[in-house]
Amino acid sequence: MSTALQFAGVSRHYGAVKALDQVDLEVKEGEFFAMLGPSGSGKTTCLRLVAGFEQPTAGHIEIFGETAEGVPPFRRNVNTVFQDYALFPHLNVLDNVAYGLMIRGVEKSERYRSAEQALELVALSGLGKRRAGELSGGQRQRVALARALVNKPRVLLLDEPLGALDLKLREQMQEELKNLHRQLGITFIFVTHDQNEALSMADRVALFKDGRVVQVGTPQEIYRQPNSRFVADFVGSSNVLPPDFVAAVGGASRWASLRPESIYLTREGGHAASVVAASFLGGSTRLAVDVSGLRINLMLPSAAEIPAVGESVRIDWKPADMHLMESGA
Amino acid sequence: MHSDQRAPIALKIAAGAGLLFLHLPILLIFVYAFTTEERSYQWPPPGLTTKWLAVTWNRPDIWEALALSVKVASISTLIALLLGTLCAAAVSRSKFFGREAISLMVILPIALPGIVTGIALRSAFNLADIPFSTWTIILGHATFCVVVVYNNAVARFRRSSASLIEASMDLGADGFQTLRYVVLPNIATALLAGGMLAFALSFDEVIVTTFTAGQQQTLPIWMLEELVRPRQRPVTNVVAMVVVLVTFLPILGAFYLTRDGDQIAGSGK
């Protein structure tokens, strides 16, 4: 697979604020790539640099091997689905979708046919005559998708596209976006602050913090082998174990991440703990225990017996599940 | 129940009386345009005639005043449309030092009494040795016309999403195409309403005009001077009537246009 997108030491500063600082990234063609991070971590700035709405303060960006600096948005074969959809209020749905083709001078009947096809792709055929304001949030989202896809971009940028939808709709759209990606085979770059969304949809995830990329990897790598305390914390709430504790339980003197679902109760061996809190979640039970002053969360399968608060228990985990991290940051 | 039914009737009468109070005097103006008495406004009119229409038509001073008024209002409105829209775009789309101050300074001329604006401009023109002409009237009018257009445009800009422009660029449109296909259609009705209001404000302006005009007479100034003359009084009424009829239609049009426009613009949210 060739490279769709290459960032080399890219920075974007606003005065003293470093929105993006020395970022190196590579996105393969056809990949579903998620940029994950808390708000203000630089992920949206990164997306805007790809779209061409921002220019880097330093560094070099290549899109399909061509230098992107100085190329305006309207000369990039990249289309964006905006967070607020940004549908044109003075045009109906069909004209919204056909806008890009109209600008390129595609003849009227031809562009309406393509627009109808794009609407069909997002399961909105027949709504072309409506105005954007008459549509529900989910429908507007689909129009925004169709409007971007009708131009046959090589990269589709999605800026928190599911943020404004309710949970049910969001899960449905996640499914549909994945199907679309499979169907079209183009590169998707997806910005989100929702780790579940990133893990469930993306082929690879880049985790942003304070304008820097802290880890890039497949969802499994990110989840199982977080390289820092921040990643362990942000992606699924992990137990972050300090070096002295790790050393005491037989590891190196390094920070380590231990996933709640990797911990189990045992009768013998393991480590003595006392139950601090227990909450029944239906499919599982979340237990908080105290192990020599350290609070550790664990997930029990729902069939397991729930110990009472204050009870003394013993917990254990497989040594391989305790993942040593590069940094405690 | 009883009082529930009586209150609306009383309210209806009060509302009707209010409307009559507002509009009867305008009807009177129309009636006096057809009176046979030319020296005073006598009620009831001793007789009715249409001869004043012809008299008005044949008076060159009226045509001159009308032409000047239309010219002044048109040019001030054009200036206002250009400057007001640009200023509104700057204030609502970008952040810069002194933005609030500029916003306030743009709006100030309409808050100031016309007489202050008038005196200020007159002394400024004197100081700068600018002779009074049609252009000084236009400049004076532009000061408050800009405000009207600015207010309309700024409200529309604030209501429409900032990412529309980026979306247009993203879909392949350059700056000019974005202006043509996205920005202008979105603010068109606001500009039309602002422009019509600006035109109407300029068209009937008296105070600033008296301070910034030389020998020229705009239509309202002509009417004011005509009122103190004892002869051919109904001519003033004919002019007033025509002005009302001619301005009423576009304003009605602007009202319906912006009403539809608001629905379109509001639906984007």
Side-chain angles (χ1 to χ4, degrees):
Chain A
M1 269 196 289
S2 63
T3 302
L5 186 69
Q6 180 95 50
F7 271 48
V10 173
S11 299
R12 178 70 178 97
H13 298 174
Y14 301 94
V17 182
K18 295 177 177 177
L20 211 60
D21 194 29
Q22 294 286 323
V23 165
D24 297 304
L25 265 183
E26 191 188 8
V27 179
K28 301 270 182 228
E29 184 164 12
E31 210 175 13
F32 198 133
F33 192 86
M35 295 179 175
L36 175 66
S39 56
S41 59
K43 56 193 194 303
T44 296
T45 305
C46 205
L47 197 80
R48 294 173 60 80
L49 283 165
V50 181
F53 303 137
E54 309 267 352
Q55 295 294 332
T57 313
H60 180 59
I61 302 173
E62 274 183 15
I63 303 175
F64 292 107
E66 284 173 32
T67 300
E69 293 100 77
V71 179
F74 50 87
R75 293 222 187 84
R76 297 186 183 202
N77 199 357
V78 163
N79 286 113
T80 309
V81 174
F82 290 83
Q83 190 169 10
D84 64 354
Y85 315 140
L87 300 181
F88 303 124
H90 61 291
L91 299 177
N92 66 23
V93 167
L94 198 62
D95 280 321
N96 258 287
V97 177
Y99 185 84
L101 301 176
M102 187 267 288
I103 292 294
R104 264 190 275 154
V106 176
E107 186 249 332
K108 202 165 194 166
S109 61
E110 171 69 29
R111 80 171 103 111
Y112 282 149
R113 191 153 12 122
S114 304
E116 283 288 0
Q117 278 168 5
L119 283 174
E120 217 166 287
L121 194 67
V122 296
L124 274 188
S125 26
L127 292 186
K129 291 287 163 242
R130 303 256 189 105
R131 287 204 178 264
E134 298 168 42
L135 303 180
S136 69
Q139 287 172 323
R140 270 182 245 180
Q141 157 84 77
R142 286 158 194 265
V143 176
L145 254 173
R147 186 178 66 174
L149 290 175
V150 80
N151 303 291
K152 308 217 180 310
R154 291 181 80 181
V155 180
L156 182 71
L157 307 176
L158 301 120
D159 186 8
E160 306 234 10
L162 309 181
L165 305 180
D166 59 52
L167 186 65
K168 262 249 158 63
L169 210 52
R170 198 156 52 198
E171 283 172 352
Q172 189 191 337
M173 279 309 292
Q174 287 178 8
E175 200 62 42
E176 286 186 32
L177 277 176
K178 264 159 78 177
N179 287 338
L180 266 178
H181 177 247
R182 248 195 309 275
Q183 208 177 325
L184 299 169
I186 60 172
T187 311
F188 276 35
I189 299 180
F190 187 94
V191 161
T192 181
H193 63 267
D194 183 334
Q195 42 112 356
N196 287 324
E197 220 163 78
L199 293 186
S200 70
M201 297 173 77
D203 297 325
R204 284 197 307 147
V205 179
L207 204 67
F208 284 76
K209 186 200 180 198
D210 300 332
R212 287 173 172 271
V213 173
V214 283
Q215 192 171 2
V216 185
T218 65
Q220 289 83 356
E221 283 166 1
I222 296 265
Y223 189 80
R224 296 201 186 121
Q225 295 143 39
N227 67 1
S228 62
R229 200 172 151 180
F230 169 77
V231 178
D233 241 8
F234 193 78
V235 181
S237 48
S238 195
N239 293 297
V240 175
L241 310 177
D244 51 342
F245 183 91
V246 177
V249 297
S253 182
R254 298 244 301 270
W255 289 86
S257 155
L258 182 59
R259 294 290 173 190
E261 65 275 12
S262 312
I263 309 173
Y264 49 88
L265 294 179
T266 179
R267 295 198 185 283
E268 281 141 34
H271 313 276
S274 66
V275 178
V276 180
S279 31
F280 178 65
L281 303 175
S284 58
T285 299
R286 187 172 58 220
L287 214 59
V289 299
D290 182 286
V291 182
S292 51
L294 187 72
R295 189 184 165 112
I296 289 180
N297 291 311
L298 55 148
M299 284 292 192
L300 298 180
S302 91
E305 209 175 300
I306 304 172
V309 172
E311 202 177 313
S312 290
V313 293
R314 298 194 75 79
I315 60 167
D316 206 357
W317 56 86
K318 295 192 192 105
D321 286 334
M322 191 170 70
H323 173 74
L324 296 178
M325 299 188 295
E326 287 160 25
S327 89
Chain B
M1 282 308 278
H2 213 67
S3 65
D4 273 359
Q5 283 191 331
R6 233 187 2 224
I9 290 169
L11 207 60
K12 275 178 195 164
I13 293 171
L19 284 174
L20 279 182
F21 176 76
L22 283 174
H23 293 106
L24 260 186
I26 296 176
L27 276 181
L28 279 183
I29 295 277
F30 286 15
V31 171
Y32 281 127
F34 298 100
T35 183
T36 47
E37 168 59 55
E38 69 168 295
R39 283 169 202 287
S40 67
Y41 291 138
Q42 181 188 337
W43 187 261
L48 293 175
T49 171
T50 54
K51 76 165 181 179
W52 300 119
L53 297 181
V55 171
T56 310
W57 187 268
N58 292 319
R59 292 248 317 243
D61 55 331
I62 296 176
W63 289 107
E64 272 169 36
L66 180 68
L68 182 67
S69 271
V70 168
K71 181 181 174 190
V72 166
S74 304
I75 299 178
S76 339
T77 303
L78 274 181
I79 294 175
L81 281 174
L82 194 68
L83 297 184
T85 311
L86 290 179
C87 188
V91 167
S92 57
R93 279 285 179 268
S94 53
K95 283 183 182 157
F96 52 87
F97 179 73
R99 187 177 66 154
E100 296 306 315
I102 284 185
S103 168
L104 185 71
M105 266 152 58
V106 170
I107 297 175
L108 204 59
I110 213 161
L112 282 179
I115 196 152
V116 175
T117 311
I119 293 173
L121 283 171
R122 187 172 190 91
S123 40
F125 288 146
N126 270 332
L127 272 178
D129 261 342
I130 300 172
F132 294 105
S133 68
T134 308
W135 288 101
T136 50
I137 307 179
I138 290 171
L139 271 180
H141 286 201
T143 59
F144 54 82
C145 287
V146 167
V147 186
V148 178
V149 173
Y150 169 84
N151 274 340
N152 269 279
V154 105
R156 182 62 56 90
F157 275 130
R158 288 209 172 122
R159 232 174 20 191
S160 54
S161 157
S163 50
L164 288 184
I165 292 169
E166 285 184 351
S168 171
M169 300 276 218
D170 189 70
L171 293 165
D174 58 29
F176 182 74
Q177 287 170 317
T178 299
L179 180 75
R180 159 91 177 71
Y181 293 114
V182 174
V183 178
L184 283 182
N186 267 300
I187 61 169
T189 49
L191 291 193
L192 188 69
M196 282 187 155
L197 203 53
F199 189 93
L201 276 180
S202 163
F203 198 75
D204 74 354
E205 216 286 334
V206 172
I207 302 169
V208 174
T209 317
T210 52
F211 283 96
T212 51
Q215 297 306 310
Q216 306 87 346
Q217 276 191 334
T218 61
L219 202 61
I221 303 273
W222 174 88
M223 285 169 105
L224 207 59
E225 304 220 330
E226 201 64 16
L227 277 179
V228 294
R229 292 188 190 160
R231 292 194 61 249
Q232 293 195 336
R233 274 214 169 159
V235 168
T236 324
N237 290 63
V238 172
V239 173
M241 184 175 71
V242 171
V243 166
V244 168
L245 291 179
V246 169
T247 53
F248 185 66
L249 293 176
I251 285 178
L252 205 66
F255 174 72
Y256 279 105
L257 274 173
T258 47
R259 200 180 55 166
D260 289 351
D262 282 352
Q263 280 163 2
I264 295 163
S267 65
K269 286 179 203 159

